[in-house]
Amino acid sequence: MTATAQQKRDYYEVLGVERNAAQEQIKQAYRQLAMKFHPDRNPAPDATERFKEIAEAYAVLSDPTKREQYDTAGHAGVSERWSTEDLFRDFAFGDFFGGRFADVGGIFGDLFGARSRRGPAKARGPDLHSGLRLTLDDAARGGERVIAITRSDRCKTCGGSGAKPGTHPVVCQECQGTGQKRRIKTEKGMKLVTITACARCLGSGTIVESPCLTCHGTGYEFLPHQIKVQIPPGIDDGMLLRLAGQGEAAPPGGEPGDLLVRVLINAHPLLKREGDDLFTGAVIDFASAALGTKVDAPCLEKEIVKVTIPPGTQSGTALRLRGKGMPRLRGRGKGDLYVVVEVRTPTDLTARQRELLREFKLEAGKKSAAAQA
């Protein structure tokens, strides 16, 4: 029932709390539901799925950053930024059960299919985050950019094992290669499981007796990289580009993480963006507004177009130029450019100008009186 964003229930509904619920209310609701639907206590066929749903809802709503993203963009906003493994990576379920479920890689790993960060399970490498600044013209054009990053790659000398060439890591005798110390006891009819990382091998399951001289036994090298990034035309400020497999290296047999590139668009001096549309201003005087005129309007790529301002145009009028906006990121064509007219009232009139305005006012009064007669 929780496979896709469309099928998922609202997280607040899952926990039975209001959207403005305090953290303590969310915590208490999770505690009660988790104990009720824990698979070791509840024999119902759907208990495992319900427990998974409850835990996922709490993992999001208990974290201020994830909760804000969920409140803003719903399930799609969360899944765009975090994988299921990311949601639980730093979440300590054991806090609610007195340390009895201390690691996602134990009972929670079985439920979520998550890969333990400890032990011989094949882990995924951490994601990397980077920023890319663009001008508005760059965002409109799209194309390829290159960003420089430094990341950990698997050591080429030892293949990531950490052991000196010609030697191999040996199985840890303390944990028999599991990387974990598991303690199980039964209390009040409920099986309690405590899982901790092996203190001798630090959760790796192996011991490196002859370290590699290149990576000093870590299995990784920190190396600079030039990564090509494809920018889709029309990309907006704050959007995230995910480059699969360009993140940090994983232990042998695992897959590297992803590189997440946040796009930041510099403000344009003359154009303001709202979605696919652009806005600019045109300042004209009172006479030009009354009689009509032509003005130059800035566009993308330093293009200048002539805009006709009709006679009688009022201040605040927006004149639309079709197809002069940003490329539509998820569709064909382009947005529009709006030229917003601002009529300036003169403040330093000459004597002749005052005389003409008085005549204008007199004629306008006569016209108004005639219209009312």
Side-chain angles (χ1 to χ4, degrees):
M1 75 174 78
T2 60
T4 66
Q6 289 78 9
Q7 295 172 316
K8 287 183 179 180
R9 287 200 297 154
D10 179 76
Y11 286 145
Y12 293 97
E13 178 186 338
V14 170
L15 295 182
V17 297
E18 299 294 330
R19 299 190 73 86
N20 61 353
Q23 283 295 324
E24 188 58 36
Q25 293 174 294
I26 293 174
K27 182 177 180 180
Q28 184 63 28
Y30 167 72
R31 186 196 302 270
Q32 294 175 354
L33 290 170
M35 294 298 292
K36 178 180 178 181
F37 289 99
H38 194 283
D40 285 348
R41 301 188 65 187
N42 193 324
D46 65 341
T48 296
E49 282 298 315
R50 288 295 304 276
F51 186 71
K52 175 179 177 180
E53 183 182 44
I54 293 162
E56 181 177 331
Y58 185 75
V60 172
L61 299 185
S62 64
D63 183 288
T65 301
K66 296 183 179 72
R67 183 179 182 181
E68 180 181 4
Q69 183 73 11
Y70 176 71
D71 288 343
T72 302
H75 290 294
V78 173
S79 61
E80 178 186 280
R81 291 188 59 180
W82 297 283
S83 66
T84 301
E85 183 178 344
D86 292 332
L87 292 179
F88 298 102
R89 181 166 289 153
D90 299 314
F91 184 70
F93 291 93
D95 292 346
F96 297 94
F97 302 98
R100 288 170 284 182
F101 309 116
D103 190 87
V104 175
I107 186 169
F108 287 96
D110 295 336
L111 292 176
F112 292 95
R115 292 159 290 192
S116 174
R117 289 181 292 164
R118 305 182 181 97
K122 305 305 180 183
R124 178 178 177 272
D127 291 335
L128 278 178
H129 294 261
S130 183
L132 177 62
R133 284 204 168 271
L134 301 174
T135 66
L136 191 61
D137 288 332
D138 292 335
R141 283 193 300 266
E144 186 177 275
R145 293 290 184 277
V146 177
I147 61 175
I149 64 169
T150 299
R151 72 182 182 210
S152 60
D153 290 343
R154 194 171 298 164
C155 177
K156 295 179 180 178
T157 302
C158 65
S161 70
K164 187 176 180 180
T167 67
H168 300 280
V170 298
V171 175
C172 174
Q173 296 303 309
E174 183 72 21
C175 63
Q176 301 301 313
T178 65
Q180 298 174 338
K181 299 293 288 184
R182 181 186 294 250
R183 186 161 58 94
I184 303 175
K185 67 177 181 178
T186 301
E187 182 178 302
K188 296 181 179 179
M190 183 173 66
K191 183 171 65 174
L192 309 179
V193 182
T194 301
I195 302 174
T196 58
C198 174
R200 184 160 186 259
C201 66
L202 302 179
S204 68
T206 58
I207 300 293
V208 176
E209 296 179 335
S210 300
C212 170
L213 298 180
T214 302
C215 65
H216 306 289
T218 65
Y220 303 102
E221 295 181 87
F222 284 92
L223 300 173
H225 291 271
Q226 300 289 319
I227 306 296
K228 294 180 179 179
V229 183
Q230 292 296 328
I231 310 298
I235 194 167
D236 208 345
D237 183 64
M239 286 187 171
L240 200 65
L241 299 175
R242 182 183 291 269
L243 281 68
Q246 295 293 345
E248 297 280 14
E255 297 180 354
D258 298 336
L259 173 60
L260 307 178
V261 181
R262 180 75 63 182
V263 174
L264 305 171
I265 300 178
N266 296 329
H268 193 282
L270 300 174
L271 299 171
K272 180 182 177 182
R273 179 177 184 177
E274 292 187 12
D276 298 326
D277 296 326
L278 297 174
F279 291 79
T280 189
V283 179
I284 61 175
D285 56 35
F286 166 78
S288 297
L291 301 175
T293 187
K294 290 182 181 291
V295 297
D296 291 336
C299 299
L300 293 168
E301 303 290 357
K302 300 182 179 180
E303 180 188 3
I304 301 296
V305 295
K306 284 286 186 182
V307 180
T308 299
I309 298 180
T313 295
Q314 303 298 309
S315 188
T317 299
L319 305 174
R320 180 167 65 176
L321 303 181
R322 295 183 183 274
K324 290 295 184 180
M326 296 291 291
R328 292 192 173 95
L329 186 62
R330 297 179 179 86
R332 295 181 178 179
K334 297 181 178 181
D336 301 325
L337 171 64
Y338 290 87
V339 181
V340 182
V341 177
E342 179 185 351
V343 180
R344 288 279 175 87
T345 302
T347 58
D348 54 347
L349 298 174
T350 65
R352 177 57 178 161
Q353 288 172 330
R354 290 179 182 277
E355 181 182 352
L356 291 173
L357 283 174
R358 290 191 185 98
E359 292 180 12
F360 172 80
K361 181 178 179 181
L362 181 61
E363 288 297 322
K366 290 178 180 179
K367 181 178 178 181
S368 177
Q372 295 175 2

